[in-house]
């Protein structure tokens, strides 16, 4: 019982950093409220899962940013923003499923953009760094699958998954920003040598 109270308090505080937490659209799972709205849940889950998959396949394949990539990103972001805007204008009624799906599409699109941006200045990086990211992705996936298999409370599983997603997503974006600043400061110095 203490675990539930602690997890509820922690997740509520963490999720308040990335979500408006409008009580009228929050979802109940087994009688407990998930403190991340459906759209934000989709955004976080889509970004997180996409980044994990991209880390797993990045060693074997480079992310190509051709025409199909651009169309996928444009369509996904158009779906996200049009679903939100049409609901705001009262033209459609957004339900839990449409909010989650539009957020999921947006999360995938944002992760593709972030990964492509990161690869512009980092490249595929060193082999040891690539292996670290692949190992990290496999560990996270294994832990989450183990949690799914051995935890009977769905609210705990979903909350922990989304908490891991939020923290990982923030760390990925922060690391990308730090790497960008580093490469801006170091690259010009290397060219003069």
């Amino acid at each position: 019982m203490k675990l539930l109270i602690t997890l509820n308090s922690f997740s509520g505080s963490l999720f308040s950093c990335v979500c408006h937490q409008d009580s009228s659209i929050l979802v109940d799972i087994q009688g407990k409220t998930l403190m991340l709205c459906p759209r934000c849940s989709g955004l976080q889950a889509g970004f997180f899962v996409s980044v994990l998959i991209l880390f797993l396949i990045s060693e074997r394949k480079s992310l190509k940013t051709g025409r199909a990539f651009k169309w996928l990103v444009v369509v996904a972001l158009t779906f996200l923003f049009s679903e939100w805007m049409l609901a705001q204008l009262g033209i459609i009624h957004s339900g839990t499923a449409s909010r989650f799906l539009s957020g999921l599409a947006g999360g995938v699109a944002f992760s593709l953009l972030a990964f492509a941006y990161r690869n512009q200045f980092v490249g595929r990086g060193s082999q040891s760094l690539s292996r670290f990211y692949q190992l990290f992705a496999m560990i996270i996936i294994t832990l989450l699958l183990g949690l799914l298999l051995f935890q009977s409370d769905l609210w705990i599983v979903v909350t922990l998954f989304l908490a891991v997603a939020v923290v990982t997503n923030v760390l990925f974006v922060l690391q990308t920003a730090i790497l960008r600043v580093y490469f801006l400061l170091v690259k010009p110095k290397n060219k003069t040598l």
Side-chain angles (χ1 to χ4, degrees):
M1 190 62 155
K2 192 167 182 131
L3 172 69
L4 288 176
I5 295 169
T6 305
L7 183 58
N8 191 32
S9 174
F10 171 75
S11 66
S13 298
L14 176 67
F15 295 159
S16 70
C17 297
V18 296
C19 180
H20 52 76
Q21 296 179 327
D22 181 358
S23 60
S24 66
I25 61 173
L26 293 177
V27 177
D28 282 345
I29 300 175
Q30 295 176 335
K32 295 181 233 40
T33 303
L34 182 63
M35 296 306 293
L36 198 61
C37 77
R39 189 174 289 116
C40 292
S41 296
L43 278 166
Q44 295 298 327
F47 193 97
F48 176 67
V49 171
S50 297
V51 166
L52 286 180
I53 290 170
L54 289 168
F55 276 139
L56 286 174
I57 65 171
S58 67
E59 181 71 19
R60 289 177 226 115
K61 278 187 169 179
S62 179
L63 182 63
K64 305 283 189 234
T65 55
R67 186 175 292 191
F69 173 89
K70 292 172 186 167
W71 275 106
L72 173 67
V73 169
V74 167
V75 168
L77 291 178
T78 301
F79 175 52
L80 170 67
F81 292 118
S82 63
E83 190 272 338
W84 175 80
M85 183 59 73
L86 292 173
Q88 293 298 315
L89 295 172
I91 297 171
I92 65 168
H93 173 72
S94 283
T96 301
S98 67
R99 286 184 180 113
F100 180 77
L101 290 175
S102 68
L104 193 64
V108 170
F110 286 132
S111 73
L112 291 173
L113 288 172
F115 213 86
Y117 175 73
R118 182 174 192 219
N119 285 348
Q120 281 182 344
F121 55 89
V122 176
R124 287 170 59 178
S126 72
Q127 211 167 14
S128 61
L129 190 59
S130 264
R131 293 202 193 287
F132 167 77
Y133 286 131
Q134 288 176 340
L135 180 63
F136 173 76
M138 287 188 282
I139 289 170
I140 293 292
I141 290 169
T142 303
L143 288 174
L144 291 172
L145 288 175
L147 183 65
L148 274 172
L149 291 173
F150 297 110
Q151 181 54 253
S152 61
D153 191 340
L154 185 60
W155 180 84
I156 290 175
V157 172
V158 171
T159 301
L160 284 174
F161 170 78
L162 290 171
V164 168
V166 168
V167 170
T168 304
N169 295 345
V170 167
L171 290 175
F172 176 80
V173 170
L174 184 62
Q175 182 196 36
T176 300
I178 290 168
L179 287 171
R180 178 63 179 151
V181 169
Y182 173 78
F183 278 94
L184 282 173
L185 297 174
V186 171
K187 279 263 184 170
K189 292 178 184 176
N190 287 343
K191 287 183 180 178
T192 59
L193 292 177

